[in-house]
């Protein structure tokens, strides 16, 4: 399955108000934003499917959570889900479905997460309400990023 050219990302309004990311308007580059794949309500209720390779994993036994970082052919994403059934290992290819959302910048250090941040160019603002923005954006990996050399996963 080919990934879409642009991906949809939800950005909570308070992240923009706090200045963590610039106001998303078409053409704006949002520098160093991490994304998380999860299940959440969006303005149109649509999820997307992403394929990638697990690069990092951690199980949080007391909270029954399982976290991963996986790389698609164009960007890296964090996940967090209930730990149940077979859990993927580093190097496993996975297909995950959900909605991308912005990771708050403090979370990487506070929760000892791998730094998956990169720049994104806003292609369009799909919706904006009191909860936040739903945007379409294109990842801009740094030239030194492994995302430039990852094969396209089909």
């Amino acid at each position: 399955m080919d990934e879409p050219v642009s991906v949809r990302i939800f950005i909570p309004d308070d992240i923009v108000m706090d200045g963590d990311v610039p106001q998303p308007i078409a053409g704006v580059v949002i520098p160093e934003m991490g994304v998380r794949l999860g299940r959440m309500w969006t303005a149109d209720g649509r999820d997307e499917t992403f394929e990638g390779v697990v690069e990092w994993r951690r199980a949080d036994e007391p909270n029954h959570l399982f976290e991963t970082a996986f790389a698609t052919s164009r960007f890296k994403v964090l996940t967090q889900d209930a730990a149940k059934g077979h859990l993927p290992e580093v190097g496993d290819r996975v297909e995950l479905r959900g909605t991308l959302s912005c990771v708050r910048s403090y979370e990487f250090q506070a929760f000892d997460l791998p730094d998956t941040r990169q720049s994104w160019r806003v292609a369009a603002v799909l919706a904006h309400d009191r909860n936040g923005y739903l945007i379409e954006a294109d990842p801009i990996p740094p030239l030194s990023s492994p995302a430039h050399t990852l094969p396209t996963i089909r």
Side-chain angles (χ1 to χ4, degrees):
M1 168 185 313
D2 289 335
E3 292 177 48
V5 173
S6 295
V7 295
R8 296 155 23 97
I9 303 170
F10 176 74
I11 302 174
D13 206 37
D14 63 322
I15 292 177
V16 176
M17 289 188 300
D18 290 346
D20 279 354
V21 301
Q23 181 168 358
I25 57 175
V28 164
V29 171
I30 300 175
E32 300 302 305
M33 179 174 72
V35 292
R36 176 179 289 119
L37 183 68
R39 289 163 182 59
M40 60 182 299
W41 179 87
T42 58
D44 61 8
R46 290 185 5 210
D47 284 341
E48 293 179 278
T49 300
F50 300 96
E51 295 179 0
V53 176
V54 175
E55 292 190 334
W56 173 88
R57 61 173 260 160
R58 173 174 66 191
D60 180 355
E61 304 277 334
N63 295 316
H64 304 288
L65 290 176
F66 184 71
E67 298 171 300
T68 64
F70 80 99
T72 72
S73 61
R74 298 181 317 126
F75 60 93
K76 294 183 180 186
V77 63
L78 297 170
T79 68
Q80 184 179 47
D81 209 347
K84 58 186 175 224
H86 172 74
L87 303 176
E89 299 291 335
V90 170
D92 285 354
R93 290 181 185 265
V94 295
E95 182 177 287
L96 300 173
R97 184 166 184 78
T99 303
L100 294 175
S101 62
C102 176
V103 177
R104 297 174 193 297
S105 59
Y106 76 87
E107 291 185 58
F108 292 96
Q109 185 173 1
F111 302 118
D112 196 27
L113 298 172
D115 194 343
T116 57
R117 291 175 278 199
Q118 69 184 73
S119 296
W120 296 81
R121 184 177 321 283
V122 178
V125 176
L126 303 175
H128 177 228
D129 61 21
R130 63 185 166 89
N131 296 314
Y133 296 82
L134 181 61
I135 65 169
E136 278 189 348
D138 299 306
I140 307 171
L143 291 177
S144 62
S145 168
H148 274 287
T149 58
L150 287 174
T152 301
I153 299 170
R154 296 187 191 274

